[in-house]
């Protein structure tokens, strides 16, 4: 089992600072900051770093904002019960790197792995990118998909050379971080516009808009369930406009990230349940 060693953590902190990355101490063996106002106290000053780490085997925190970095955190499941939500329950999806591969493929972009890379203590991956100039990105949790978080302005990551719960963080690809791809920056900062509620004039407007809003407000892991519920309510009315409402529900589901084929299948299932039971 890796052991905490002051010299090891000190070397890791100095190496990160030499790259221009701002570091601060984390509690030994932990991910938690050992100081208050860590973002303000994060530094590249070698003398300050040496004084700090000579006091103990602190892990190394890296403040992503001052370091002008965006780090994409591709996590792994925390146990047998940590399984993909319905939106990502598909063959080949076992961890964050699989989800990023699907996101890249859907957007017709190459997998963004040609940059500085760290293996986390639990076997996940941190991809380091240079932050875009003139565009502030904040931390995100799950915006790109299951098991993908990002750390940017206001965030920090555990740097290589640290040891958390007896497991080491290690550099896998030692190269200069590349610029964050534009498509990734766009995906982290934009959300597709809500689709129009395209309903026949005979539709019960307020109810239809409410059902569409139910889908638009769904978070990751609940989109499919909300869509199914809303489709059931639409077909339960028996209104002539139910098919029109269903089409709007599909548009809404696609706009919040559900695949169109999956959305249509969910709505069709709801229709069969209601109309088939009559």
């Amino acid at each position: 089992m890796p052991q905490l060693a002051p010299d090891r953590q000190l070397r890791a902190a100095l190496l990160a600072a030499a790259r221009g990355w701002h570091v601060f101490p984390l509690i030994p063996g932990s991910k938690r900051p050992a100081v208050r106002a860590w973002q303000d106290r994060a530094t590249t000053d070698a003398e300050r770093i040496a004084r700090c780490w000579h006091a103990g085997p602190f892990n190394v925190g890296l403040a992503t904002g001052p370091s002008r970095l965006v780090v994409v955190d591709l996590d792994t499941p925390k146990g047998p019960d940590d399984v993909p939500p319905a939106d990502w329950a598909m063959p080949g999806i076992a961890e964050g790197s699989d989800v990023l591969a699907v996101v890249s493929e859907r957007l017709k972009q190459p997998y963004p792995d040609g940059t500085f890379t760290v293996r986390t203590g639990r076997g996940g991956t941190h991809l380091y990118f240079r932050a875009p100039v003139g565009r502030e990105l904040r931390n995100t949790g799950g915006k790109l998909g299951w098991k993908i978080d990002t750390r940017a302005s206001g965030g920090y990551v555990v740097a290589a050379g640290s040891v958390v719960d007896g497991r080491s963080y290690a550099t896998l690809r030692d190269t200069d971080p590349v610029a964050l791809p534009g498509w990734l920056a766009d995906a982290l900062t934009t959300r597709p516009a809500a689709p129009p509620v395209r309903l026949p004039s005979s539709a019960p407007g307020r109810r239809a808009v409410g059902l569409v809003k139910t889908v638009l407000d769904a978070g990751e892991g609940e989109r499919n369930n909300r869509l199914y519920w809303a489709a059931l309510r639409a077909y339960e009315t028996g209104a002539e406009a139910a098919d029109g409402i269903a089409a709007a529900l599909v548009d809404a589901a696609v706009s919040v990230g559900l695949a169109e084929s999956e959305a249509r299948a969910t709505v069709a299932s709801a229709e069969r349940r209601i109309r088939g039971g009559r």
Side-chain angles (χ1 to χ4, degrees):
M1 178 181 295
Q3 301 295 316
L4 294 172
D7 288 346
R8 171 179 173 165
Q9 271 77 22
L10 173 58
R11 288 195 301 271
L14 290 172
L15 182 60
R19 294 180 179 270
W21 300 342
H22 294 239
V23 300
F24 63 95
L26 303 176
I27 293 172
S30 168
K31 298 180 181 181
R32 293 184 291 120
V35 295
R36 295 181 179 180
W38 53 265
Q39 184 163 265
D40 295 332
R41 296 175 68 174
T43 183
T44 60
D45 187 304
E47 291 186 6
R48 286 180 56 193
I49 292 170
R51 286 198 302 271
C52 175
W53 266 269
H54 278 141
F58 297 107
N59 273 336
V60 183
L62 195 159
T64 45
S67 302
R68 297 299 302 156
L69 290 172
V70 175
V71 177
V72 178
D73 178 7
L74 306 174
D75 205 358
T76 58
K78 294 178 173 61
D81 296 329
D82 190 2
V83 297
D87 294 353
W88 288 101
M90 61 184 75
I93 298 296
E95 57 186 50
S97 59
D98 301 323
V99 173
L100 184 59
V102 172
V103 172
S104 303
E105 182 179 358
R106 286 176 177 173
L107 295 176
K108 297 180 171 56
Q109 299 292 337
Y111 187 83
D113 59 350
T115 191
F116 186 88
T117 305
V118 171
R119 185 196 65 226
T120 70
R122 293 182 55 253
T125 305
H126 285 173
L127 302 176
Y128 285 49
F129 299 97
R130 297 198 313 273
V133 177
R135 188 174 185 180
E136 184 181 56
L137 298 182
R138 306 291 297 182
N139 303 327
T140 68
K143 187 175 180 65
L144 291 176
W146 181 65
K147 292 296 177 185
I148 304 181
D149 297 332
T150 64
R151 294 295 176 261
S153 181
Y156 73 89
V157 293
V158 180
S162 299
V163 179
V164 176
D165 296 331
R167 296 187 289 260
S168 296
Y169 282 61
T171 301
L172 289 182
R173 186 183 181 98
D174 192 356
T175 186
D176 290 335
V178 301
L180 182 72
W183 66 269
L184 259 178
D186 291 342
L188 289 170
T189 56
T190 60
R191 176 175 178 171
V197 180
R198 300 181 287 110
L199 300 173
S201 59
S202 60
R206 181 176 299 177
R207 179 175 177 79
V209 171
L211 292 176
V212 169
K213 188 175 187 302
T214 294
V215 176
L216 291 174
D217 290 343
E220 185 186 359
E222 60 181 13
R223 289 173 287 202
N224 201 52
N225 289 338
R226 285 200 180 201
L227 174 61
Y228 184 68
W229 180 90
L232 288 175
R233 304 292 83 78
Y235 284 113
E236 279 176 351
T237 65
E240 294 179 2
D243 289 334
I245 299 174
L249 293 175
V250 170
D251 288 343
V254 171
S255 80
V256 294
L258 208 61
E260 183 175 354
S261 59
E262 184 178 358
R264 291 190 181 280
T266 297
V267 169
S269 178
E271 180 186 10
R272 286 194 299 272
R273 176 174 177 181
I274 298 301
R275 291 181 171 173
R278 291 177 179 169

